Every structure is written in structure tokens, then in C-alpha cells.
Amino acid sequence: MMLKTTSEIDIVKANSSKINEVDFENLTFGNVFTDHMLVCDFKEGKWEKPVIKPYEPFLIDPSAKVFHYGQAIFEGMKAYKDENDDVWLFRPDENLDRFNKSAVRMAMPEIPEEIFIGGLKTIVDMERSWVRKGLGNTLYIRPFMIAVGSGVIAQPSSQYRFMIILSPARSYYSGEVKVIIAEHYSRAANGGIGAAKAAGNYSAQFYPQKLAQEKGFQQIIWTDDATHTKLEEAGTMNVFFRFNDTIYTAPTSERILDGVTRKSLIAIAKRDGIKVEERSVLVSELIAGAKDGSLKEIFGAGTAAVVSPIVGFQYQEDYYELPKIENSLAIQLKDKLTKVQYKLAEDTFGWTVKV
């Protein structure tokens, strides 16, 4: 995969590393960050020269538009280390494409490929010692952009800051995942920003998720905003349903995020002869399948969690436990995908990019 990069990056190295202070065996997801961060500002209609500098807080005006009007987008990616100590990215072109689609939807400037990809490869290369070998060990990558222009008038900012921060990570979810199907709250609506990785999409989920957790559920399966009959996403993940030997997942739309893990699992499944259909699954179908035994699996898919099997769901007052099966397609697909990411299996799609 040929991607544009740039050597036009200023680098200020940290005086010392904090890596020896980190317990890599007991990481809390997203709480520990590496020694450096990338910063690139957009001013007067153009992107300035990126700089990689020590990870640190920075000053921002209290009237910055990110605080008042929510212009903020992000991506989630990972770097992997193989058995030869080489470091790999997974489909970074897809993250760049989605990042810029989010930027357009939020009236923010698109980021050039040479800054996004070039900056990404440079900072990951600098922090490669933070990427540990072994399945489950990754370096989580968070590119994001915020509106830093000052003023509380309700209009898009004229100044923005693009950044990349890195966090060593292990598994995102642990233990069994039970979900409740949303009947009132919605993740997104037609014409809205559901297909963008906008910060506000996630903060709007926190309250209904809190209510679900108080009832003993880890996540919510969101339904469509108009009828609450179509199953759409699971928490912060795309969601898949297996009925008999066919996997179903909702098609991408204005409401549903075009997940990189989602499309990768679909491609692997189709390559290996597993039946996949991209169509809306109804709540009524799910309940009928749980009752007659045709519903075999539900699983979420996303960068952080990779694949997260769901053991049961509740709708209204009824809880449905899923069968425990040995030939889990969710586990099979996760194994095939992670082996590609860690270079333990052939990358037949050309998805991996060496740092």
C-alpha cells in the first residue's frame, strides 16, 4: 500500500522516558500515554508544519469553539508488533478517509494525507518500544481535531488543532457482555452526524448507558430513531447477528459508523465462504430467533474491542440468554483478523502497513 508521507516534521524529544514506570501487564484502557504527541495547527486557511513534542497539557482560550459548539472529531487505530519486532499499522488509509469525511460533516478542514499518514508513521516509529509483542498487546492511536478559535458566536471556527496521542493497550472489555435493547434513546438520526466520529456522538450515549449499567447491563444495542424496530449498533461498536449459518449486520448509513473492523470482518467472512448479509435486522426477528433457536450469536466489532461476543440481551421486561456454542463464528473471525494484524497469517488483502 503506497501512502503519502512527509519528512517536514519538527521533532522535540523528551528529556527522559516514562516507559519504565508503566506496568504493561495491568493497563487500564486509555489511561497511560507515551512520551510524545504530534501537534499541527490550522491557521489563516492552511495547515502549519507539524511538530512532535513531549506529551504535555497545553493552554487553550476559554472561549474556544470546541467548548461551546462541539467541533471535535477523532479516530481510533492500533499499531501491532510482530515476532520480528517490526511494527505495523492496519488500514490507516481507511482511518484517514473517515477522518476527513467527519471533518467535512463538522465544517472542519480536511487533513492532508502527508500530515496524517506521515505524522502517524513518524510518531509511532519514535514510540515503537511502547508496542509490546504478543496477541492482545497493542499501541492504541488516537488522532483527533478540535476547534481552537476563540469567540462564542455560533459559527465554525477559523482555527483548528490536529493531534495524535498514543496509549499502550490490552483488551478493552473483559468478562461477559450483556446488552439491553434501546426503546427510547437513539444514538443518531437521519440527517445527523451518526456516520461521523464526532465527540458529541459519544457523550450523548453516556446517560442511557449509565441507566443500562444500573440494571446490570454492560452495553446498549441502539435502535433506529424513527421506529425503534431496527437494530443498529452496540454501544460504541458495530453489531453483528448470526442466525443459523448466516451473519447479518446493518448497512452503513447517515446513522451508522462505517467501521474499519466491521468492513474487515465482512471481507474475511466472504473470502472464507461464510454467508454475510448487510441488511437491517428487526427487534422482532431477534426475539423470534432467540425463541426458536435460530439466533446463534451476537457480537460487537470495533477497533478497541476487536470482537466482543454478547451472551444475552434484554428487551422490555424479558431477558434472552444466547446458547454457548463451540463453533463460534465471532471467535473464528476475530482469530483470523488478529492473525493478519500481528503478521501471523498472510495478509491477502494488503491491509497492513509497515512503520
Side-chain angles (χ1 to χ4, degrees):
M1 182 185 297
M2 296 299 294
L3 297 170
K4 295 179 184 177
T5 60
T6 178
S7 58
E8 294 298 311
I9 300 175
D10 287 333
I11 296 176
V12 180
K13 290 189 176 182
N15 292 328
S16 60
S17 176
K18 58 194 175 193
I19 192 169
N20 292 328
E21 303 169 12
V22 177
D23 181 359
F24 283 88
E25 298 302 315
N26 295 286
L27 292 168
T28 300
F29 186 87
N31 275 13
V32 175
F33 296 93
T34 66
D35 297 316
H36 298 90
M37 62 185 188
L38 180 140
V39 180
C40 187
D41 288 327
F42 182 89
K43 296 178 180 178
E44 298 179 354
K46 64 181 181 180
W47 288 102
E48 298 185 338
K49 191 176 183 181
V51 57
I52 294 175
K53 58 192 293 188
Y55 184 95
E56 61 185 2
F58 60 89
L59 293 174
I60 187 169
D61 194 290
S63 70
K65 291 184 183 292
V66 65
F67 298 138
H68 303 275
Y69 303 111
Q71 278 187 292
I73 60 173
F74 68 94
E75 274 298 316
M77 312 168 63
K78 286 180 178 177
Y80 310 82
K81 182 170 282 186
D82 66 19
E83 291 303 309
N84 298 317
D85 286 326
D86 290 322
V87 176
W88 300 84
L89 303 174
F90 183 73
R91 307 189 77 175
D93 56 319
E94 292 286 347
N95 293 100
L96 169 62
D97 180 63
R98 189 171 62 185
F99 191 84
N100 280 334
K101 287 179 179 177
S102 297
V104 169
R105 181 62 184 85
M106 298 297 290
M108 303 170 82
E110 295 180 70
I111 189 80
E113 181 177 315
E114 55 268 25
I115 293 177
F116 188 98
I117 299 296
L120 180 62
K121 294 182 76 172
T122 302
I123 191 169
V124 171
D125 186 38
M126 286 178 62
E127 308 285 55
R128 62 173 48 242
S129 60
W130 289 80
V131 193
R132 296 304 170 100
K133 288 193 291 189
L135 285 172
N137 295 319
T138 61
L139 185 65
Y140 185 77
I141 303 167
R142 175 54 62 90
F144 64 99
M145 190 199 309
I146 58 174
V148 295
S150 60
V152 294
I153 184 172
Q155 65 183 29
S157 176
S158 61
Q159 297 180 29
Y160 297 87
R161 174 161 291 183
F162 170 73
M163 299 184 66
I164 300 175
I165 56 177
L166 311 172
S167 176
R170 302 194 76 181
S171 297
Y172 189 60
Y173 293 113
S174 60
E176 293 187 340
V177 176
K178 297 188 296 182
V179 299
I180 189 167
I181 295 176
E183 299 179 69
H184 173 70
Y185 295 103
S186 298
R187 176 188 172 273
N190 284 330
I193 58 173
K197 279 191 76 73
N201 282 343
Y202 296 81
S203 59
Q205 296 180 36
F206 293 160
Y207 177 66
Q209 183 174 316
K210 174 178 176 288
L211 297 179
Q213 290 172 344
E214 288 174 352
K215 295 179 180 180
F217 297 90
Q218 286 71 43
Q219 281 294 352
I220 298 170
I221 291 185
W222 303 103
T223 50
D224 68 291
D225 65 299
T227 68
H228 293 289
T229 60
K230 298 176 183 177
L231 301 161
E232 301 208 317
E233 292 196 2
T236 58
M237 303 176 285
N238 294 115
V239 65
F240 291 77
F241 308 92
R242 175 188 171 189
F243 289 88
N244 294 320
D245 292 325
T246 302
I247 295 174
Y248 299 87
T249 190
T252 56
S253 67
E254 289 181 311
R255 302 188 307 273
I256 297 175
L257 192 70
D258 187 13
V260 178
T261 303
R262 172 191 178 277
K263 65 178 63 177
S264 302
L265 293 175
I266 291 172
I268 290 172
K270 289 181 176 179
R271 180 198 66 184
D272 294 347
I274 299 171
K275 297 177 184 177
V276 182
E277 290 188 25
E278 295 180 67
R279 71 158 176 85
S280 295
V281 175
L282 302 178
V283 175
S284 58
E285 291 181 272
L286 197 69
I287 293 171
K291 289 180 177 179
D292 66 23
S294 60
L295 176 64
K296 305 299 184 185
E297 296 181 75
I298 306 174
F299 57 96
T303 298
V306 186
V307 169
S308 184
I310 292 167
V311 300
F313 69 91
Q314 179 164 309
Y315 181 66
Q316 295 179 345
E317 299 303 318
D318 296 317
Y319 178 74
Y320 302 88
E321 190 83 20
L322 271 66
K324 291 181 170 60
I325 54 177
E326 294 183 2
N327 61 332
S328 166
L329 292 183
I331 300 304
Q332 291 180 40
L333 289 170
K334 179 179 181 179
D335 181 66
K336 291 175 180 180
L337 176 57
T338 54
K339 282 182 175 176
V340 170
Q341 293 169 330
Y342 287 90
K343 307 301 287 186
L344 297 173
E346 182 183 1
D347 177 10
T348 61
F349 299 97
W351 286 338
T352 51
V353 176
K354 191 174 182 179
V355 173

